[in-house]
Amino acid sequence: MKRHRAGVLDGERKKDTVNRLLNGYLDKLRARLEHLEHVSATSTNTCEKTAARKEGDALKKALRECEDYERDTLLPLAQARLDLDDGVKWG
């Protein structure tokens, strides 16, 4: 038997789970990006600075893509209303 939170449908639970996972991932990306920016600003080693900049650029791209996905895909799904009577056949 499935356990449900009060008032939460399976679809809403999946949206909530995806959103939590995405936000956790975004937090890790932002923390790593902050660290790389610090390394790039304070390091005296040119090779280390270049590597930090390259990785930082890749992380910025990934961060933008995730934020776009959240805005363009997850937000509309979270705002969608379900008509539970739609498609129900009686008789």
Side-chain angles (χ1 to χ4, degrees):
M1 185 168 146
K2 290 185 179 179
R3 295 178 185 231
H4 294 281
R5 289 185 285 160
V8 177
L9 301 171
D10 283 336
E12 291 176 1
R13 179 177 290 170
K14 289 175 186 173
K15 291 177 215 171
D16 185 45
T17 301
V18 171
N19 194 32
R20 276 195 325 245
L21 290 171
L22 180 63
N23 284 329
Y25 181 66
L26 290 175
D27 289 343
K28 289 178 183 179
L29 282 179
R30 288 182 185 117
R32 179 69 178 159
L33 185 59
E34 186 177 317
H35 169 72
L36 291 171
E37 288 173 348
H38 176 74
V39 168
S40 180
T42 60
S43 179
T44 57
N45 186 342
T46 307
C47 183
E48 194 174 72
K49 279 185 175 185
T50 304
R53 276 195 213 115
K54 284 184 179 182
E55 187 179 347
D57 290 343
L59 288 179
K60 285 177 187 176
K61 181 181 176 191
L63 192 60
R64 273 193 309 271
E65 289 175 358
C66 288
E67 288 169 345
D68 290 345
Y69 173 76
E70 182 178 28
R71 182 188 64 243
D72 298 339
T73 304
L74 291 182
L75 185 60
L77 287 174
Q79 294 172 344
R81 296 285 179 216
L82 297 175
D83 182 7
L84 298 178
D85 292 328
D86 186 32
V88 175
K89 295 180 182 179
W90 293 94

